[in-house]
Amino acid sequence: MPDTQALVNEFVVKLKRRKVEGSHATARLTAELLRSVISQQRVPYTNQAGVLIEAVKAVGEQLISANPVELAVGNIVRRVLHIIREEDLSLATTAIGGLNLSAGSDDEDDAELDDRTVLSAAAVAAAARSTLRAPSLHTLLEDIPDSVAAPHTSSSGGDSEGKSKSADKNSRTRKLKHDVIEAINELIQDIDTCHEQIAEQAVEHIHQNEVILTLGRSRTVMEFLCAAKEKKRSFRVFVAEGAPRYQGHVLAKELVARGLQTTVITDSAVFAMISRVNMVIVGAHAIMANGGVIAPVGLNMVALAAQRHAVPFVVVAGSHKLCPLYPHNPEVLLNDLRSPSELLDFGEFSDCMDFGTGSGAPLLHVVNPAFDYVPPKLVSLFITDTCYTTEELTPFCNFCIGNTSGAVALLLIKY
Amino acid sequence: MWRRSASFILDQQQEKKSKALTSPSMDEPLQNPNLNNPNNISAYYQTRAAHYGVVTSDWLAQAQAAVGFDPVDAASEKGIRSVDSDKPFSVIDEFNHWRKLPDLAEAVAAILALASVIRSSKATTMMELESELKKASDSLKSWDTTSISLTAGCDLFMRYVTRTSALEYEDFDAAKLRLIERAEKFGEISRKARRTIAMLSQDFIFDGCTILVHGFSRVVLEVLKTAAQNKKLFRVLCTEGRPDRTGLRLSNELAKLDVPVKLLIDSAVAYTMDEVDMVFVGADGVVESGGIINMMGTYQIALVAHSMNKPVYVAAESYKFARLYPLDQKDLTPALRPIDFGVPIPSGVEVETSARDYTPPQYLTLLFTDLGVLTPSVVSDELIQLYL
């Protein structure tokens, strides 16, 4: 598959050079790339899921290492892996159902079936499903065969091997790949529509005559505010300009174009204005498993100001930004240091930063971090989209909307 | 003034109830010497004292070597023995036998005891077996109301028996066999849980960190042991853990692993907190609010850590999740334990002998369990889902 490799390399280079920006675009492109990887992947009759998982993992590792700070890549890779496992499992269970578990069936629960009475098909399905779900107290005592508890690839290999003997091979081979690609298409659609999904909830949160503060520009925030405006809410927006990239200016322009009353303030004026604000609504770069937020630089300050005046600090983010990792030293490890040219014009200060002057080291340093880490206790509310198609995730989304950081952790450990 | 608090009234009620509960169960296993469990000393802490206070790990190793096989094998052996013995079967005896084994957690002992109930049961239907188990687990629970993991273990197993896919067998004997087999595997599950927790927590221990540990917990020891094996460089501060000196024992174990250890008296926690990077504690029980019940002193350590912005991590296996919702410190059945002050105490002076306290969830950062790394609020969700 030389063509997919070329695609992968191209995307890796783009990621490395930070040519793809924003987690939304990255998530979408990653999903599309993985879809083409899967569709190009040749699958053998046996162990199809295993092969697909291996392929996705290999590509995923390359992508993640290309830009480890862009957590959306990893999130999408994990979601795709989950999709493959789930589709494989649903195929396996329907196959079991179809076979009605003829005696001596050779499926993945071999180990527990061997000398005992045959489990009913429902029980097998339940046991198999429990291997996909995160461990819980429910399943603590239940029998999880070691082969399944161990890396899933081997077990799924075993079971598809078993199945291919009985079921007709051709349709099954096509089926898995087809189902997986279908599911990834759905995922891409979800990513596309996440803004609208989030914006739908805007009227519940923004009330008449309120003053909203935001910093920088986030498409999710923009659509959120506009959706409230469309529902005939009249409110005012303070936009902190978001130095050094001044994306706030762009947002202000867009909001004014939609007829919203907008005020632009400098970042340093946030604390001065916060007492007049009813709610802070911001976007995020990524949401970590403990409910902490990786956000554009400057937001930690806003969050602290909001806490000081007991103003609700609301984070809106699509579900592709939910990351199941815990931040360790996030200020350093999950940060990008960007070019100083955003802060200073090249000509003006280039002398001060010259290595040739004085002792050999420049006297002027410029540090330009891209992200802030907002600790979970400063966030009052997360608003995410409810577009999970997997039925087991839906109940948790509601939690996630109505609840604080703990619920995000809850949502994350489930996938 | 405190006598007027609602929880105090609750305490009194509970005490009465537990007495009422114990008395009917007295009649069946009369010859059991352990049954007259002196109500003023918690059996749970008797076990702990036996395991951690007096017994050293060398002794433990010797004892294990002498026994010659691992506790789970022992489990099956003993279980079979108890079937063909003539004397009337008693869960509490069985439980006491198991809890003597040093490597076995209390919940595991409870589940093994319930398994032997199944084995010796002469029930012929599932309903009969269930009610027998219910009786056994009730008598176990009321025998030692202070042990949270005992109660949690019983609840978990009962829950498994009543609502599990494993019982979709048509055959009653097969179902019975399966239940017994699962129960016996539980010892293994608990040991695997400890490994999982140790693996999960490794990311959180970074080079050069200082960890404050309170009390002796097998899970915490496993976590630190794994970190030491992974060549992490860290320092441990151990509290002394009066009165049963569990901290001394932990420092002894850690010194064997060449981990730099410093012993503190219990009252030096606030003094040393500024050099601490994280607090690591185990738990006797994790309650529905997401808080923990642990050895006396955990609450004040958590308070100090919270006020100095240090993370408090709890390592606990998921079978310690208990269906309790304590509202305050006095809202628990107090587990009492004798305290030796070294000098005679003048008459008329009261001594607070409670062995544990309740740490509310807002003072805990994360819980490391075999279900994953959880925030306290996820714990309550997990419990709600299980017993909904």
Side-chain angles (χ1 to χ4, degrees), chain B residues 120-144:
Chain B
S120 66
S121 149
K122 298 191 172 57
T124 49
T125 65
M126 208 60 217
M127 283 305 283
E128 250 179 286
L129 184 66
E130 252 180 66
S131 69
E132 239 171 82
L133 270 178
K134 184 96 189 54
K135 228 193 316 176
S137 95
D138 281 348
S139 66
L140 253 187
K141 279 197 262 180
S142 59
W143 177 73
D144 183 7

PDB file of all heavy atoms in Angstrom, chain B residues 120-144:
ATOM      1  N   SER B 120     -20.950 -26.548  51.607  1.00  0.00           N
ATOM      2  CA  SER B 120     -21.522 -27.426  52.629  1.00  0.00           C
ATOM      3  C   SER B 120     -23.046 -27.382  52.613  1.00  0.00           C
ATOM      4  O   SER B 120     -23.684 -28.090  53.378  1.00  0.00           O
ATOM      5  CB  SER B 120     -21.020 -26.999  53.999  1.00  0.00           C
ATOM      6  OG  SER B 120     -21.532 -25.727  54.290  1.00  0.00           O
ATOM      7  N   SER B 121     -23.589 -26.557  51.736  1.00  0.00           N
ATOM      8  CA  SER B 121     -25.034 -26.399  51.731  1.00  0.00           C
ATOM      9  C   SER B 121     -25.707 -27.653  51.180  1.00  0.00           C
ATOM     10  O   SER B 121     -25.200 -28.311  50.276  1.00  0.00           O
ATOM     11  CB  SER B 121     -25.395 -25.186  50.890  1.00  0.00           C
ATOM     12  OG  SER B 121     -26.643 -25.380  50.293  1.00  0.00           O
ATOM     13  N   LYS B 122     -26.864 -27.948  51.739  1.00  0.00           N
ATOM     14  CA  LYS B 122     -27.616 -29.095  51.246  1.00  0.00           C
ATOM     15  C   LYS B 122     -28.833 -28.627  50.453  1.00  0.00           C
ATOM     16  O   LYS B 122     -29.787 -29.365  50.231  1.00  0.00           O
ATOM     17  CB  LYS B 122     -28.045 -29.972  52.408  1.00  0.00           C
ATOM     18  CG  LYS B 122     -26.846 -30.525  53.133  1.00  0.00           C
ATOM     19  CD  LYS B 122     -27.180 -31.613  54.126  1.00  0.00           C
ATOM     20  CE  LYS B 122     -25.911 -32.249  54.673  1.00  0.00           C
ATOM     21  NZ  LYS B 122     -25.014 -31.274  55.312  1.00  0.00           N
ATOM     22  N   ALA B 123     -28.794 -27.366  50.064  1.00  0.00           N
ATOM     23  CA  ALA B 123     -29.921 -26.812  49.321  1.00  0.00           C
ATOM     24  C   ALA B 123     -30.043 -27.487  47.971  1.00  0.00           C
ATOM     25  O   ALA B 123     -29.058 -27.944  47.394  1.00  0.00           O
ATOM     26  CB  ALA B 123     -29.719 -25.313  49.133  1.00  0.00           C
ATOM     27  N   THR B 124     -31.266 -27.539  47.483  1.00  0.00           N
ATOM     28  CA  THR B 124     -31.483 -28.173  46.185  1.00  0.00           C
ATOM     29  C   THR B 124     -32.004 -27.199  45.143  1.00  0.00           C
ATOM     30  O   THR B 124     -32.073 -27.531  43.986  1.00  0.00           O
ATOM     31  CB  THR B 124     -32.494 -29.332  46.307  1.00  0.00           C
ATOM     32  OG1 THR B 124     -33.611 -28.836  47.028  1.00  0.00           O
ATOM     33  CG2 THR B 124     -31.882 -30.513  47.005  1.00  0.00           C
ATOM     34  N   THR B 125     -32.376 -26.021  45.579  1.00  0.00           N
ATOM     35  CA  THR B 125     -32.802 -25.021  44.600  1.00  0.00           C
ATOM     36  C   THR B 125     -31.989 -23.748  44.803  1.00  0.00           C
ATOM     37  O   THR B 125     -31.381 -23.552  45.846  1.00  0.00           O
ATOM     38  CB  THR B 125     -34.288 -24.661  44.754  1.00  0.00           C
ATOM     39  OG1 THR B 125     -34.441 -24.036  46.027  1.00  0.00           O
ATOM     40  CG2 THR B 125     -35.170 -25.863  44.643  1.00  0.00           C
ATOM     41  N   MET B 126     -32.053 -22.942  43.784  1.00  0.00           N
ATOM     42  CA  MET B 126     -31.289 -21.690  43.828  1.00  0.00           C
ATOM     43  C   MET B 126     -31.808 -20.784  44.943  1.00  0.00           C
ATOM     44  O   MET B 126     -31.038 -20.141  45.648  1.00  0.00           O
ATOM     45  CB  MET B 126     -31.444 -21.003  42.473  1.00  0.00           C
ATOM     46  CG  MET B 126     -30.296 -20.124  42.100  1.00  0.00           C
ATOM     47  SD  MET B 126     -28.769 -21.043  42.004  1.00  0.00           S
ATOM     48  CE  MET B 126     -27.680 -19.809  42.671  1.00  0.00           C
ATOM     49  N   MET B 127     -33.124 -20.768  45.097  1.00  0.00           N
ATOM     50  CA  MET B 127     -33.710 -19.893  46.123  1.00  0.00           C
ATOM     51  C   MET B 127     -33.234 -20.297  47.506  1.00  0.00           C
ATOM     52  O   MET B 127     -32.849 -19.469  48.327  1.00  0.00           O
ATOM     53  CB  MET B 127     -35.241 -19.972  46.073  1.00  0.00           C
ATOM     54  CG  MET B 127     -35.876 -19.211  44.949  1.00  0.00           C
ATOM     55  SD  MET B 127     -35.386 -17.497  44.947  1.00  0.00           S
ATOM     56  CE  MET B 127     -36.398 -16.873  46.277  1.00  0.00           C
ATOM     57  N   GLU B 128     -33.243 -21.601  47.768  1.00  0.00           N
ATOM     58  CA  GLU B 128     -32.792 -22.095  49.056  1.00  0.00           C
ATOM     59  C   GLU B 128     -31.354 -21.670  49.316  1.00  0.00           C
ATOM     60  O   GLU B 128     -31.011 -21.161  50.389  1.00  0.00           O
ATOM     61  CB  GLU B 128     -32.864 -23.624  49.048  1.00  0.00           C
ATOM     62  CG  GLU B 128     -33.933 -24.224  49.915  1.00  0.00           C
ATOM     63  CD  GLU B 128     -33.901 -25.734  49.788  1.00  0.00           C
ATOM     64  OE1 GLU B 128     -34.338 -26.246  48.737  1.00  0.00           O
ATOM     65  OE2 GLU B 128     -33.399 -26.376  50.701  1.00  0.00           O
ATOM     66  N   LEU B 129     -30.538 -21.894  48.308  1.00  0.00           N
ATOM     67  CA  LEU B 129     -29.123 -21.568  48.444  1.00  0.00           C
ATOM     68  C   LEU B 129     -28.958 -20.084  48.718  1.00  0.00           C
ATOM     69  O   LEU B 129     -28.172 -19.673  49.581  1.00  0.00           O
ATOM     70  CB  LEU B 129     -28.393 -21.940  47.154  1.00  0.00           C
ATOM     71  CG  LEU B 129     -26.886 -21.741  47.185  1.00  0.00           C
ATOM     72  CD1 LEU B 129     -26.251 -22.686  48.173  1.00  0.00           C
ATOM     73  CD2 LEU B 129     -26.291 -21.946  45.810  1.00  0.00           C
ATOM     74  N   GLU B 130     -29.744 -19.312  48.016  1.00  0.00           N
ATOM     75  CA  GLU B 130     -29.634 -17.862  48.191  1.00  0.00           C
ATOM     76  C   GLU B 130     -29.982 -17.440  49.602  1.00  0.00           C
ATOM     77  O   GLU B 130     -29.280 -16.648  50.218  1.00  0.00           O
ATOM     78  CB  GLU B 130     -30.585 -17.164  47.209  1.00  0.00           C
ATOM     79  CG  GLU B 130     -29.870 -16.472  46.077  1.00  0.00           C
ATOM     80  CD  GLU B 130     -30.855 -15.812  45.139  1.00  0.00           C
ATOM     81  OE1 GLU B 130     -31.526 -14.862  45.570  1.00  0.00           O
ATOM     82  OE2 GLU B 130     -30.934 -16.272  44.006  1.00  0.00           O
ATOM     83  N   SER B 131     -31.067 -18.014  50.122  1.00  0.00           N
ATOM     84  CA  SER B 131     -31.475 -17.583  51.462  1.00  0.00           C
ATOM     85  C   SER B 131     -30.459 -18.077  52.494  1.00  0.00           C
ATOM     86  O   SER B 131     -30.185 -17.401  53.485  1.00  0.00           O
ATOM     87  CB  SER B 131     -32.882 -18.083  51.791  1.00  0.00           C
ATOM     88  OG  SER B 131     -32.859 -19.474  51.943  1.00  0.00           O
ATOM     89  N   GLU B 132     -29.879 -19.246  52.248  1.00  0.00           N
ATOM     90  CA  GLU B 132     -28.849 -19.738  53.155  1.00  0.00           C
ATOM     91  C   GLU B 132     -27.647 -18.796  53.162  1.00  0.00           C
ATOM     92  O   GLU B 132     -27.110 -18.440  54.211  1.00  0.00           O
ATOM     93  CB  GLU B 132     -28.393 -21.128  52.707  1.00  0.00           C
ATOM     94  CG  GLU B 132     -28.597 -22.195  53.762  1.00  0.00           C
ATOM     95  CD  GLU B 132     -28.344 -23.570  53.176  1.00  0.00           C
ATOM     96  OE1 GLU B 132     -27.167 -23.953  53.096  1.00  0.00           O
ATOM     97  OE2 GLU B 132     -29.318 -24.226  52.774  1.00  0.00           O
ATOM     98  N   LEU B 133     -27.275 -18.407  51.952  1.00  0.00           N
ATOM     99  CA  LEU B 133     -26.145 -17.488  51.816  1.00  0.00           C
ATOM    100  C   LEU B 133     -26.449 -16.165  52.498  1.00  0.00           C
ATOM    101  O   LEU B 133     -25.600 -15.574  53.155  1.00  0.00           O
ATOM    102  CB  LEU B 133     -25.852 -17.231  50.343  1.00  0.00           C
ATOM    103  CG  LEU B 133     -24.881 -18.168  49.680  1.00  0.00           C
ATOM    104  CD1 LEU B 133     -24.743 -17.801  48.221  1.00  0.00           C
ATOM    105  CD2 LEU B 133     -23.524 -18.081  50.348  1.00  0.00           C
ATOM    106  N   LYS B 134     -27.680 -15.730  52.328  1.00  0.00           N
ATOM    107  CA  LYS B 134     -28.095 -14.447  52.912  1.00  0.00           C
ATOM    108  C   LYS B 134     -27.916 -14.512  54.428  1.00  0.00           C
ATOM    109  O   LYS B 134     -27.372 -13.598  55.048  1.00  0.00           O
ATOM    110  CB  LYS B 134     -29.556 -14.202  52.540  1.00  0.00           C
ATOM    111  CG  LYS B 134     -30.107 -12.880  52.987  1.00  0.00           C
ATOM    112  CD  LYS B 134     -30.007 -11.887  51.847  1.00  0.00           C
ATOM    113  CE  LYS B 134     -30.347 -10.468  52.278  1.00  0.00           C
ATOM    114  NZ  LYS B 134     -29.626  -9.932  53.389  1.00  0.00           N
ATOM    115  N   LYS B 135     -28.383 -15.622  54.995  1.00  0.00           N
ATOM    116  CA  LYS B 135     -28.274 -15.782  56.443  1.00  0.00           C
ATOM    117  C   LYS B 135     -26.806 -15.766  56.863  1.00  0.00           C
ATOM    118  O   LYS B 135     -26.412 -15.089  57.809  1.00  0.00           O
ATOM    119  CB  LYS B 135     -28.936 -17.095  56.864  1.00  0.00           C
ATOM    120  CG  LYS B 135     -29.869 -16.872  58.038  1.00  0.00           C
ATOM    121  CD  LYS B 135     -30.345 -18.118  58.743  1.00  0.00           C
ATOM    122  CE  LYS B 135     -30.794 -19.269  57.918  1.00  0.00           C
ATOM    123  NZ  LYS B 135     -31.165 -20.476  58.584  1.00  0.00           N
ATOM    124  N   ALA B 136     -26.013 -16.537  56.122  1.00  0.00           N
ATOM    125  CA  ALA B 136     -24.595 -16.625  56.465  1.00  0.00           C
ATOM    126  C   ALA B 136     -23.930 -15.260  56.383  1.00  0.00           C
ATOM    127  O   ALA B 136     -23.169 -14.865  57.280  1.00  0.00           O
ATOM    128  CB  ALA B 136     -23.896 -17.606  55.528  1.00  0.00           C
ATOM    129  N   SER B 137     -24.237 -14.538  55.311  1.00  0.00           N
ATOM    130  CA  SER B 137     -23.560 -13.256  55.145  1.00  0.00           C
ATOM    131  C   SER B 137     -24.042 -12.265  56.194  1.00  0.00           C
ATOM    132  O   SER B 137     -23.268 -11.446  56.690  1.00  0.00           O
ATOM    133  CB  SER B 137     -23.755 -12.727  53.729  1.00  0.00           C
ATOM    134  OG  SER B 137     -24.822 -11.852  53.663  1.00  0.00           O
ATOM    135  N   ASP B 138     -25.316 -12.378  56.581  1.00  0.00           N
ATOM    136  CA  ASP B 138     -25.807 -11.496  57.646  1.00  0.00           C
ATOM    137  C   ASP B 138     -25.107 -11.774  58.963  1.00  0.00           C
ATOM    138  O   ASP B 138     -24.717 -10.858  59.685  1.00  0.00           O
ATOM    139  CB  ASP B 138     -27.318 -11.655  57.811  1.00  0.00           C
ATOM    140  CG  ASP B 138     -28.084 -10.889  56.747  1.00  0.00           C
ATOM    141  OD1 ASP B 138     -27.427 -10.071  56.059  1.00  0.00           O
ATOM    142  OD2 ASP B 138     -29.287 -11.117  56.595  1.00  0.00           O
ATOM    143  N   SER B 139     -24.946 -13.055  59.256  1.00  0.00           N
ATOM    144  CA  SER B 139     -24.305 -13.357  60.535  1.00  0.00           C
ATOM    145  C   SER B 139     -22.844 -12.946  60.511  1.00  0.00           C
ATOM    146  O   SER B 139     -22.293 -12.482  61.502  1.00  0.00           O
ATOM    147  CB  SER B 139     -24.454 -14.840  60.885  1.00  0.00           C
ATOM    148  OG  SER B 139     -23.734 -15.610  59.964  1.00  0.00           O
ATOM    149  N   LEU B 140     -22.211 -13.083  59.346  1.00  0.00           N
ATOM    150  CA  LEU B 140     -20.820 -12.622  59.227  1.00  0.00           C
ATOM    151  C   LEU B 140     -20.745 -11.123  59.458  1.00  0.00           C
ATOM    152  O   LEU B 140     -19.889 -10.627  60.186  1.00  0.00           O
ATOM    153  CB  LEU B 140     -20.305 -12.916  57.822  1.00  0.00           C
ATOM    154  CG  LEU B 140     -19.312 -14.042  57.631  1.00  0.00           C
ATOM    155  CD1 LEU B 140     -18.811 -14.035  56.216  1.00  0.00           C
ATOM    156  CD2 LEU B 140     -18.162 -13.917  58.591  1.00  0.00           C
ATOM    157  N   LYS B 141     -21.682 -10.423  58.812  1.00  0.00           N
ATOM    158  CA  LYS B 141     -21.636  -8.970  58.878  1.00  0.00           C
ATOM    159  C   LYS B 141     -21.894  -8.493  60.302  1.00  0.00           C
ATOM    160  O   LYS B 141     -21.264  -7.550  60.769  1.00  0.00           O
ATOM    161  CB  LYS B 141     -22.681  -8.371  57.925  1.00  0.00           C
ATOM    162  CG  LYS B 141     -22.189  -8.324  56.498  1.00  0.00           C
ATOM    163  CD  LYS B 141     -23.033  -7.383  55.678  1.00  0.00           C
ATOM    164  CE  LYS B 141     -24.076  -8.133  54.907  1.00  0.00           C
ATOM    165  NZ  LYS B 141     -24.927  -7.273  54.078  1.00  0.00           N
ATOM    166  N   SER B 142     -22.829  -9.157  60.978  1.00  0.00           N
ATOM    167  CA  SER B 142     -23.150  -8.677  62.316  1.00  0.00           C
ATOM    168  C   SER B 142     -22.112  -9.142  63.335  1.00  0.00           C
ATOM    169  O   SER B 142     -21.992  -8.577  64.414  1.00  0.00           O
ATOM    170  CB  SER B 142     -24.540  -9.152  62.726  1.00  0.00           C
ATOM    171  OG  SER B 142     -24.569 -10.559  62.687  1.00  0.00           O
ATOM    172  N   TRP B 143     -21.350 -10.149  62.964  1.00  0.00           N
ATOM    173  CA  TRP B 143     -20.313 -10.604  63.879  1.00  0.00           C
ATOM    174  C   TRP B 143     -19.259  -9.519  64.062  1.00  0.00           C
ATOM    175  O   TRP B 143     -18.782  -9.259  65.150  1.00  0.00           O
ATOM    176  CB  TRP B 143     -19.660 -11.875  63.343  1.00  0.00           C
ATOM    177  CG  TRP B 143     -18.537 -12.323  64.212  1.00  0.00           C
ATOM    178  CD1 TRP B 143     -18.648 -12.891  65.446  1.00  0.00           C
ATOM    179  CD2 TRP B 143     -17.149 -12.217  63.917  1.00  0.00           C
ATOM    180  NE1 TRP B 143     -17.405 -13.142  65.947  1.00  0.00           N
ATOM    181  CE2 TRP B 143     -16.467 -12.739  65.035  1.00  0.00           C
ATOM    182  CE3 TRP B 143     -16.421 -11.732  62.843  1.00  0.00           C
ATOM    183  CZ2 TRP B 143     -15.084 -12.787  65.091  1.00  0.00           C
ATOM    184  CZ3 TRP B 143     -15.057 -11.792  62.908  1.00  0.00           C
ATOM    185  CH2 TRP B 143     -14.395 -12.314  64.018  1.00  0.00           C
ATOM    186  N   ASP B 144     -18.908  -8.873  62.974  1.00  0.00           N
ATOM    187  CA  ASP B 144     -17.978  -7.760  63.094  1.00  0.00           C
ATOM    188  C   ASP B 144     -18.522  -6.584  62.288  1.00  0.00           C
ATOM    189  O   ASP B 144     -18.280  -6.471  61.110  1.00  0.00           O
ATOM    190  CB  ASP B 144     -16.593  -8.162  62.594  1.00  0.00           C
ATOM    191  CG  ASP B 144     -15.599  -7.043  62.787  1.00  0.00           C
ATOM    192  OD1 ASP B 144     -15.970  -6.039  63.414  1.00  0.00           O
ATOM    193  OD2 ASP B 144     -14.467  -7.182  62.309  1.00  0.00           O
TER     194      ASP B 144
END
